Amino acid sequence: VQTCALPILTVELSVSHERSDELEQQLYIYADAVTQVLERNRGDWGQGMAYGGSYEIDFGPVKPGGRNYVQSAKILIDVLVSQPHYAG
């Protein structure tokens, strides 16, 4: 079995609030919840996929959006994919 770190999965989060000073705190709470789920699910995900614990979070700036303010974040997750090795 040949293993290679191929896909990077992306989880995108977005929050909206009428007060810009509360956005960052809310976004950090959601990002923390996602990373806690990832931490609890290290290892084999089945069907040749596994998660070793590596991720990166990119928080975007606060922007005006309609009547409220909006802020987003991307969580990039490294996933290991096993592919069968065929001798030829």
Side-chain angles (χ1 to χ4, degrees):
V1 176
Q2 181 179 0
T3 302
C4 49
L6 279 180
I8 296 177
L9 301 179
T10 303
V11 174
E12 293 189 38
L13 305 169
S14 182
V15 293
S16 174
H17 199 279
E18 58 191 32
R19 295 181 47 183
S20 64
D21 58 337
E22 295 193 24
L23 280 177
E24 190 172 43
Q25 180 183 3
Q26 287 182 356
L27 191 57
Y28 274 95
I29 289 169
Y30 289 126
D32 184 55
V34 170
T35 59
Q36 284 181 33
V37 169
L38 288 171
E39 291 295 324
R40 287 193 303 265
N41 289 284
R42 284 185 182 208
D44 186 12
W45 284 2
Q47 297 186 356
M49 294 183 5
Y51 173 62
S54 177
Y55 62 85
E56 179 182 326
I57 304 176
D58 180 23
F59 290 94
V62 174
K63 299 179 192 176
R67 295 182 186 189
N68 294 323
Y69 293 94
V70 179
Q71 187 177 17
S72 61
K74 290 183 182 181
I75 302 173
L76 307 173
I77 306 161
D78 294 327
V79 177
L80 299 173
V81 177
S82 298
Q83 298 175 346
H85 178 72
Y86 299 103

